[in-house]
Amino acid sequence: MSQKKQQMQVEQKVPENVAKKTVRDTKLREAVAKRRTERLAANKTRRSQWEKNGQAYEAEYKAAEKGLVDNIRKAKSEGGFYVPAEAKLILVVRIRGINTLNPQVRQTLRLLKLRQLHNAAFVRVNKATIEMIRKVEPYVTYGYPSRTVIKNLVYKRGYAKVNGQRIPITNNNVVEQQLGKCGIHCVEDLIHEITTVGPHFKEANRFLWAFKLRGPRGGFIAKRRSFINQGDWGNREDLINDLVKRMI
Amino acid sequence: MTSVPLVSVFSADDSTKVTAKHIPLPAVFQTPIRPDIVSFVHTNIAKNRRQAHAVNPQAGMQHSAESWGTGRAVARIPRVSGSGTHRSGQAAFGNQCRKGRMSLPIKVWRRWHRRVNIKQKRHAAASAVAATGIVPLVLARGHRISQVPQIPLVVEDKIESYEKTTDALNFLKRFGAFEDVQKVVSTKVVRAGISKQRGKKYRVRKGPLVVYFNENAKLLKAFRNVPGVEVVNVTRLNLLQLAPGGQLGRFVIWTQSAFAHLDKLFGTYRYASVLKDGYQLLRPLLTNPDLARIINSNQVQEKVQPAKTTTVLHEVQKKNPLRNTKAMDRLNPYARKQRAAAIAAIKANTKGTKKIKKNKALKKASRAAFNKVSAALNDATNAAVQEEQDIKVKYFSVQKGAAQAE
């Protein structure tokens, strides 16, 4: 009886390939699961760090605004004037198309990342860049962007240059991979670096692709004239924000 | 019924009886199947039986036709000279003309035959022989071999002495090859096209190929009249018969001595061919075709790198974080708190505001004041209008008076 049972219990023979593959697959699966748990834990810490950073920056911005207002009031109360620091950052918007351009102007616009009509880019203010912008003044309008405008540009129109490709900034991995070594780990870090023109402004700005804006709702006034002459090109200081809000 | 590396030789009289067991398969049957070589060689060799033909060189040109030139309101094509018949003045000579010569008339010295490298021809023949030993290929070619006891079918030499067609037929019936013959018979069709008037009335399929060895074999005559069956000596194997139409897998019936002769003919992987001078069978590209086993082997798996995972850098669709809370949360976890705080602040601001009560007394007083002012304004305007009227009246009456005076 037991012999028959033994005969009935046929040995389960597994093909060699299948056996090897199952061993391999289980090992791989375990490794993947382990990597996943590690990644999730790391993400949690990362997210809490982003939140902290966001909070810190908010406090910083508020303090800066309050500081400016306090200084103005203080100066007024003393009968003087408070002259705030000159802008460190400007936002340049190209308002002329590509046809019939002077080659130097063409090249300078390219250097400013403004290859297309209605492209916008952040530019640090120093002697070199001032000269560049002076060269292309009739073809661009520029000014000092406000914090909200910078924030909106990066969130809504923010694309990154990754391996020469234009990648949308849909998550902080993009930022982390490219700018992690500069201490910029999330979009808020990036915005902070841009607004305060920090030590890694160059990397942060290079990371950003030029903002492709739409034409302004309500239109330009007269692109053939400078802003001072009831037109559009050139420096319009703080009024760039109104324009860009219509173009975002 | 299987294709086996060991082959049994069957008795000619009884398909169930085996006269010799476990004959090793000749090395030809192990050569790689190269349909590319076979089709190339076949297309070229098939041209070698062609007979030259040509169009009459004078066809369409036996006129003294000349173009009439311009200025006569007709095309410039050469026209038949003369008069008195319809034909005169008609277009001639051109390929486009009625009764004209064809364009590029076929010449006898057209290159009818093709030469193929001997090595290629031999490789093709070897491949074709190998294919005859593979059941799926023979089936795919369309042979009816479901009742055949073995592929390759090897039979004792007795069939070489068959003289009568009945013997041949019975032999085929015994070995299940008659189904193939029946197929040939039932599918004999009158050929479409002109060829039927040129001696090729019927289109007949190919049946079994019987391969014998001894030159004095009488089976040629026995099998000659069986439709579809071809007989060939093993020393004169023909690719056009082994792979008709360039299609591998003819159904072949070997005699024992013919089968044994194949090793001498094509050689083996150990020694080159004896009869085909310097010919060595093609070696397969893969000695071990079991890819699954190779891939899963320890030697390969040790060296293999882990599979690359595609890291998706960004979501496929970009959502606007300023309007999409999930997208914003992905980028800035603090934004949620900011928004909550802002909403709370708004609520806090609106909480303290009281509803403004209407002060009726004040309303009455202001209304009275307004009425007073508007009344005064009215009076003033009326007065002004009246004054203007008076002036006008005065002026005109003065004018009238002046006119009257004159």
Side-chain angles (χ1 to χ4, degrees):
Chain A
M1 196 57 183
S2 60
Q3 228 183 9
K4 232 188 181 177
K5 254 197 179 169
Q6 274 181 351
Q7 279 177 354
M8 286 180 75
Q9 283 172 1
V10 178
E11 209 181 88
Q12 284 295 335
K13 287 194 177 174
V14 182
E16 191 187 16
N17 288 342
V18 175
K20 281 188 182 170
K21 195 161 158 62
T22 42
V23 166
R24 225 173 30 241
D25 284 349
T26 43
K27 226 190 275 178
L28 283 170
R29 230 179 298 125
E30 281 163 19
V32 165
K34 185 162 158 279
R35 269 206 307 272
R36 187 166 179 272
T37 47
E38 282 172 8
R39 188 165 42 92
L40 289 176
N43 280 349
K44 229 177 183 171
T45 48
R46 280 169 75 207
R47 267 183 78 83
S48 62
Q49 187 58 46
W50 299 338
E51 212 174 315
K52 272 200 215 109
N53 284 359
Q55 203 167 8
Y57 295 143
E58 196 193 18
E60 191 184 314
Y61 297 142
K62 272 209 175 90
E65 276 170 32
K66 188 166 181 298
L68 176 66
V69 170
D70 287 344
N71 279 325
I72 292 170
R73 283 183 182 156
K74 186 158 155 279
K76 215 184 208 178
S77 70
E78 290 168 4
F81 301 94
Y82 178 72
V83 181
E86 278 180 23
K88 285 190 283 186
L89 174 75
I90 55 175
L91 176 66
V92 193
V93 184
R94 180 167 171 163
I95 56 174
R96 280 279 176 196
I98 57 169
N99 289 316
T100 60
L101 280 184
N102 180 358
Q104 275 95 36
V105 167
R106 223 187 313 147
Q107 177 71 354
T108 313
L109 284 170
R110 232 199 84 226
L111 292 171
L112 292 167
K113 295 202 289 190
L114 306 172
R115 282 178 190 257
Q116 197 182 20
L117 183 61
H118 303 150
N119 273 9
F122 293 117
V123 180
R124 192 210 300 257
V125 174
N126 54 39
K127 172 75 169 151
T129 56
I130 289 170
E131 293 295 320
M132 284 168 81
I133 287 159
R134 190 171 297 160
K135 227 183 170 68
V136 300
E137 222 157 11
Y139 304 89
V140 301
T141 181
Y142 61 98
Y144 317 131
S146 69
R147 207 168 43 80
T148 27
V149 161
I150 296 170
K151 171 189 157 220
N152 289 350
L153 276 173
V154 175
Y155 275 118
K156 187 171 182 196
R157 301 277 180 182
Y159 283 73
K161 185 166 84 164
V162 177
N163 289 334
Q165 291 182 333
R166 185 167 176 258
I167 305 285
I169 305 175
T170 49
N171 57 50
N172 286 325
N173 289 331
V174 191
V175 184
E176 173 75 54
Q177 267 185 34
Q178 300 297 116
L179 299 173
K181 56 184 172 313
C182 302
I184 301 169
H185 304 284
C186 60
V187 173
E188 278 301 310
D189 290 343
L190 178 68
I191 292 170
H192 178 255
E193 192 70 22
I194 300 281
T195 44
T196 57
V197 190
H200 293 288
F201 176 83
K202 178 180 176 175
E203 287 88 340
N205 203 16
R206 270 192 102 247
F207 167 78
L208 283 171
W209 200 279
F211 301 105
K212 290 171 177 260
L213 305 177
R214 46 160 297 158
R217 256 185 308 267
F220 289 110
I221 297 168
K223 289 201 285 187
R224 64 186 181 283
R225 292 218 184 99
S226 70
F227 185 77
I228 300 162
N229 278 321
Q230 291 84 51
D232 280 303
W233 60 257
N235 192 354
R236 59 171 75 198
E237 301 195 354
D238 291 314
L239 295 175
I240 193 73
N241 294 310
D242 295 331
L243 179 67
V244 172
K245 275 187 188 144
R246 290 190 287 132
M247 290 176 81
I248 243 180
Chain B
M1 188 191 62
T2 46
S3 52
V4 289
L6 289 176
V7 170
S8 308
V9 180
F10 289 86
S11 157
D13 305 315
D14 189 355
S15 65
T16 52
K17 220 168 68 164
V18 171
T19 53
K21 267 193 172 183
H22 302 315
I23 306 279
L25 211 60
V28 209
F29 285 91
Q30 312 285 359
T31 45
I33 307 290
R34 291 291 300 270
D36 57 324
I37 299 180
V38 168
S39 77
F40 171 77
V41 173
H42 184 276
T43 52
N44 287 307
I45 279 182
K47 295 175 185 170
N48 291 345
R49 259 201 86 200
R50 296 196 289 186
Q51 290 183 346
H53 61 266
V55 148
N56 189 338
Q58 299 152 4
M61 298 299 283
Q62 294 180 52
H63 297 288
S64 59
E66 254 194 80
S67 170
W68 287 357
T70 53
R72 292 182 65 172
V74 291
R76 293 178 277 175
I77 195 79
R79 295 183 179 275
V80 174
S81 325
S83 55
T85 175
H86 281 299
R87 187 71 178 128
S88 44
Q90 283 183 349
F93 289 171
N95 57 301
Q96 73 270 34
C97 302
R98 180 172 175 275
K99 304 297 225 168
R101 122 204 78 64
M102 65 182 276
S103 47
L104 309 170
I106 300 172
K107 302 293 183 195
V108 188
W109 56 82
R110 173 184 281 195
R111 191 167 63 105
W112 301 103
H113 309 100
R114 297 283 181 275
R115 57 171 300 279
V116 184
N117 296 340
I118 292 175
K119 208 190 250 181
Q120 275 179 314
K121 289 193 273 194
R122 286 169 176 172
H123 285 327
S127 249
V129 169
T132 63
I134 295 172
V135 172
L137 285 177
V138 180
L139 277 171
R141 228 204 130 259
H143 292 288
R144 311 292 191 253
I145 50 169
S146 52
Q147 303 304 322
V148 176
Q150 182 188 263
I151 294 281
L153 181 60
V154 190
V155 179
E156 60 175 348
D157 287 347
K158 196 163 170 215
I159 68 163
E160 289 187 6
S161 57
Y162 281 169
E163 287 190 38
K164 304 290 278 173
T165 310
T166 39
D167 294 335
L169 276 176
N170 289 332
F171 161 75
L172 291 171
K173 283 179 185 157
R174 273 197 299 275
F175 280 88
F178 193 63
E179 214 188 318
D180 212 23
V181 172
Q182 279 176 321
K183 169 201 86 176
V184 170
V185 170
S186 64
T187 55
K188 182 171 171 182
V189 216
V190 169
R191 193 185 292 263
I194 284 279
S195 314
K196 60 174 161 295
Q197 300 169 13
R198 296 177 179 172
K200 293 187 199 167
K201 185 165 183 197
Y202 296 106
R203 272 186 69 181
V204 179
R205 304 266 185 96
K206 298 274 185 200
L209 177 71
V210 181
V211 181
Y212 66 97
F213 179 58
N214 297 310
E215 289 296 345
N216 305 321
K218 297 196 180 68
L219 87 164
L220 179 67
K221 290 228 180 117
F223 281 97
R224 198 164 60 179
N225 207 24
V226 182
V229 175
E230 283 172 336
V231 180
V232 76
N233 189 309
V234 76
T235 53
R236 294 185 286 277
L237 282 171
N238 187 352
L239 183 72
L240 301 171
Q241 288 176 329
L242 286 171
Q247 187 83 341
L248 291 163
R250 183 88 187 260
F251 171 35
V252 180
I253 301 169
W254 308 87
T255 60
Q256 189 175 7
S257 36
F259 201 67
H261 196 70
L262 281 173
D263 259 348
K264 282 207 200 75
L265 249 186
F266 287 98
T268 69
Y269 284 111
R270 276 241 189 96
Y271 54 84
S273 162
V274 173
L275 295 168
K276 297 188 200 286
D277 188 23
Y279 175 66
Q280 175 65 56
L281 284 169
L282 258 183
R283 287 186 191 278
L285 222 57
L286 284 179
T287 49
N288 176 15
D290 191 350
L291 284 178
R293 183 155 171 199
I294 292 170
I295 289 167
N296 285 312
S297 68
N298 290 332
Q299 294 97 314
V300 169
Q301 286 299 321
E302 268 172 30
K303 301 284 184 193
V304 148
Q305 283 185 350
K308 278 188 191 166
T309 49
T310 46
T311 44
V312 178
L313 195 58
H314 64 93
E315 278 73 13
V316 176
Q317 187 176 40
K318 179 180 160 81
K319 293 284 191 184
N320 184 3
L322 299 174
R323 292 174 71 94
N324 190 315
T325 42
K326 264 195 190 160
M328 185 50 130
D329 197 50
R330 219 185 285 146
L331 290 170
N332 183 12
Y334 185 60
R336 193 183 288 169
K337 286 195 179 157
Q338 275 180 318
R339 189 175 151 74
I343 291 169
I346 291 168
K347 275 210 175 110
N349 278 338
T350 51
K351 212 175 184 184
T353 51
K354 290 187 208 124
K355 213 176 171 189
I356 298 167
K357 277 191 185 161
K358 286 188 205 172
N359 194 336
K360 285 195 177 164
L362 193 65
K363 196 173 177 181
K364 202 174 181 185
S366 71
R367 178 135 300 186
F370 177 72
N371 287 339
K372 207 170 167 193
V373 169
S374 60
L377 194 64
N378 244 353
D379 293 338
T381 45
N382 287 342
V385 167
Q386 192 59 44
E387 203 181 314
E388 201 180 323
Q389 291 261 14
D390 296 339
I391 291 166
K392 272 191 186 161
V393 166
K394 225 184 186 179
Y395 179 66
F396 280 120
S397 60
V398 167
Q399 285 271 336
K400 250 188 181 173
Q404 274 185 352
E406 286 171 19

